[in-house]
Every structure is written in C-alpha cells, then in structure tokens.
Amino acid sequence: MNESYESAFQKLKTIISELESREITLEDSINKYEEGLKLYKFCLSKLDEYEGRVKVLMQEGNDIVEKDFERK
C-alpha cells in the first residue's frame, strides 16, 4: 500500500460509514470489510512506525533528556 496514513484513515472512515448505513449488499459488505481490515492493519503499522520515531523530552533535575516514546 503506497499511501499516507491520513489518506488510508479517511478511506477507512468512509468504509465504516458505508457498512453502518446497511444499504449495501452482503457481498459488498464483505468486500468492504476486507478492504477496511487491510486499511486498519496499514494504519496500525504506520502508527507503530511513527511511534518508534517519536522522542519525548523529559526533565531530569536540571537537564533535559531525550527518551524513546512509550505507550502506556
């Protein structure tokens, strides 16, 4: 998948809206679900990638230190 996180996330939101509308066929629903799952996994991998690049500046005493970002 060669697109930005924002683009993939927007497509995922559109798919969710379409699935919630219940105005599509069962076959289309399954296809949209599969596409949405791929987009979800892509977005999740991008967030993991970005998380690894984010640094948090923290103050320790009088010093500012750079530490890896950690999810809580």
Side-chain angles (χ1 to χ4, degrees):
M1 193 172 290
N2 193 16
E3 62 184 304
S4 69
Y5 169 83
E6 293 80 7
S7 172
F9 188 73
Q10 187 59 44
K11 287 179 183 178
L12 182 56
K13 286 174 42 176
T14 300
I15 288 172
I16 291 169
S17 294
E18 290 172 354
L19 290 171
E20 288 176 341
S21 75
R22 300 180 187 166
E23 296 178 12
I24 60 176
T25 66
L26 178 59
E27 185 173 345
D28 287 341
S29 293
I30 291 170
N31 291 335
K32 291 287 183 185
Y33 177 81
E34 289 172 342
E35 183 182 356
L37 191 55
K38 289 177 187 175
L39 289 166
Y40 168 77
K41 288 178 180 180
F42 172 79
C43 289
L44 192 58
S45 72
K46 279 298 197 185
L47 287 175
D48 285 342
E49 176 187 330
Y50 296 146
E51 180 182 19
R53 295 171 51 194
V54 172
K55 300 290 182 185
V56 177
L57 293 177
M58 302 189 68
Q59 186 170 0
E60 288 186 3
N62 291 331
D63 297 327
I64 300 292
V65 295
E66 189 176 284
K67 294 186 176 186
D68 289 335
F69 177 79
E70 295 179 20
R71 256 190 226 166
K72 294 187 179 194

